[in-house]
Amino acid sequence: MLESGYSLNRPVYFIWYAAEEVGLVGSREVVKFAKANNWSVDSVLHFDTVGRRAKADDATLWFLRDNVDNDFTDYVAKLVEQYVKLPVDYTTCGYACSDHASWTDGGFVSAAAVESSFADLNPYLHTTEDTMEKVSIDNLVNYTKLALAYVVDRSAS
């Protein structure tokens, strides 16, 4: 995108967090830093565990419905339908299960993409069996398409 010369009208941040599993420590620190430094944050599209498909023959892209802004999540789902051209479905985790919740708690608009319904999450997650052989390149490509659509669409608004 940068090599194309396309000009964005707002900053885009790519952020990786640490210590999610022990209480969203990294994302809480980033949100605190963003607020203290008056970052202008239009919205946050968070991706977590999007490298696997629960069902190999189902290309549905999944989104959380809790600890998110539901209107923004609906907007992101429309981007999937328009640009990625795949079905969308929704799930809940019932608690602040990923780093998007830190942004929502901080008063920011956020949505969270996940690999599957919460009931079908990767059974190997956070184990030594969670290996690259279980990654779906197609799933990664589709979520990357969504990320690009999001960046371009939000920069045009």
Side-chain angles (χ1 to χ4, degrees):
M1 217 174 142
L2 294 173
E3 289 178 8
S4 75
Y6 186 81
S7 179
L8 301 172
N9 66 7
R10 65 182 83 216
V12 175
Y13 302 98
F14 294 89
I15 303 171
W16 287 262
Y17 308 104
E20 175 203 54
E21 293 78 13
V22 293
L24 309 178
V25 174
S27 58
R28 290 192 191 284
E29 287 298 315
V30 171
V31 170
K32 186 167 63 172
F33 181 87
K35 291 177 90 166
N37 290 281
N38 297 313
W39 280 9
S40 175
V41 178
D42 169 77
S43 52
V44 175
L45 178 55
H46 177 69
F47 294 88
D48 193 357
T49 67
V50 296
R52 178 187 163 273
R53 282 192 184 148
K55 298 174 180 102
D57 60 344
D58 183 1
T60 299
L61 298 191
W62 287 84
F63 297 92
L64 289 175
R65 275 293 189 199
D66 49 354
N67 294 295
V68 298
D69 181 287
N70 283 311
D71 290 337
F72 180 59
T73 300
D74 291 342
Y75 156 78
V76 172
K78 287 183 176 128
L79 291 177
V80 171
E81 292 164 3
Q82 183 174 1
Y83 296 108
V84 188
K85 304 196 182 310
L86 289 174
V88 168
D89 209 341
Y90 305 93
T91 190
T92 59
C93 53
Y95 65 100
C97 62
S98 191
D99 293 300
H100 69 285
S102 296
W103 291 96
T104 300
D105 289 347
F108 296 92
V109 171
S110 77
V114 292
E115 69 179 27
S116 65
S117 71
F118 203 70
D120 287 330
L121 282 179
N122 183 351
Y124 306 108
L125 188 63
H126 303 310
T127 73
T128 57
E129 298 298 313
D130 194 7
T131 60
M132 289 301 295
E133 293 78 30
K134 295 178 181 79
V135 171
S136 166
I137 297 300
D138 288 340
N139 228 36
L140 291 177
V141 166
N142 290 328
Y143 280 106
T144 300
K145 288 178 185 178
L146 168 59
L148 290 170
Y150 163 70
V151 167
V152 170
D153 196 69
R154 291 312 269 193
S155 103
S157 56

